[in-house]
């Protein structure tokens, strides 16, 4: 029972730290969303990866599987859906059978 309490406390502390990291990633993506559409051109996403930002290195196939790609415009090409990307499993720092530490959804505070 004590080990369970300690592990839950560690997960909460890690979750708090990870949320600040998630917010930093969100802020970057929102900055790149010059059209205020909630979407970022895939070229900007991968340009950051090529510049050394390891967070933006998931494959297009993986991003599509996570529902983070909008392919609806042939004119604009594939775009990252910011909200779906932030909530993708690649943004989880801990994943266990019974819990995970992932980016918190923007609505989570309202649901409590």
């Amino acid at each position: 029972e004590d080990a369970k309490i300690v592990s839950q406390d560690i997960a909460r502390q890690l979750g708090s730290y990870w949320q600040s990291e998630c917010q930093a990633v969100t802020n970057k993506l929102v900055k790149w969303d010059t059209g205020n559409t909630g979407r970022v051109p895939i070229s900007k996403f991968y340009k950051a990866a090529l510049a050394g930002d390891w967070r933006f290195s998931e494959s297009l196939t993986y991003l599509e599987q996570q529902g983070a790609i909008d392919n609806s415009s042939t004119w604009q090409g594939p775009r990252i859906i910011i909200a779906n990307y932030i909530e993708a499993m690649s943004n989880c720092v801990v994943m266990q059978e019974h819990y995970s530490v992932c980016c918190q959804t923007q609505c989570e505070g309202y649901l409590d």
Side-chain angles (χ1 to χ4, degrees), residues 38-49:
R39 285 151 173 71
V40 173
I42 197 82
S43 59
K44 288 185 180 180
F45 183 84
Y46 286 130
K47 184 177 180 181

Side-chain angles (χ1 to χ4, degrees), residues 58-80:
E58 297 93 340
S59 71
L60 184 59
T61 301
Y62 174 80
L63 293 168
E64 288 172 332
Q65 291 169 346
Q66 296 299 305
I69 295 293
D70 176 359
N71 283 316
S72 65
S73 172
T74 55
W75 179 69
Q76 293 179 324
R79 296 175 294 156
I80 300 287

Side-chain angles (χ1 to χ4, degrees), residues 1 4 25 94:
E1 186 64 31
K4 180 180 175 182
V25 171
V94 174

Side-chain angles (χ1 to χ4, degrees), residues 14-30 54-56 82 85-93 101-106:
L14 183 59
S16 177
Y17 164 76
W18 191 244
Q19 190 55 35
S20 67
E21 293 295 309
C22 293
Q23 191 59 53
V25 171
T26 301
N27 290 345
K28 281 184 183 183
L29 292 170
V30 167
W54 60 270
R55 297 176 205 273
F56 305 116
I82 295 172
Y85 176 76
I86 293 299
E87 294 182 23
M89 293 304 290
S90 59
N91 286 313
C92 297
V93 68
V101 177
C102 304
C103 291
Q104 188 176 30
T105 73
Q106 297 290 333

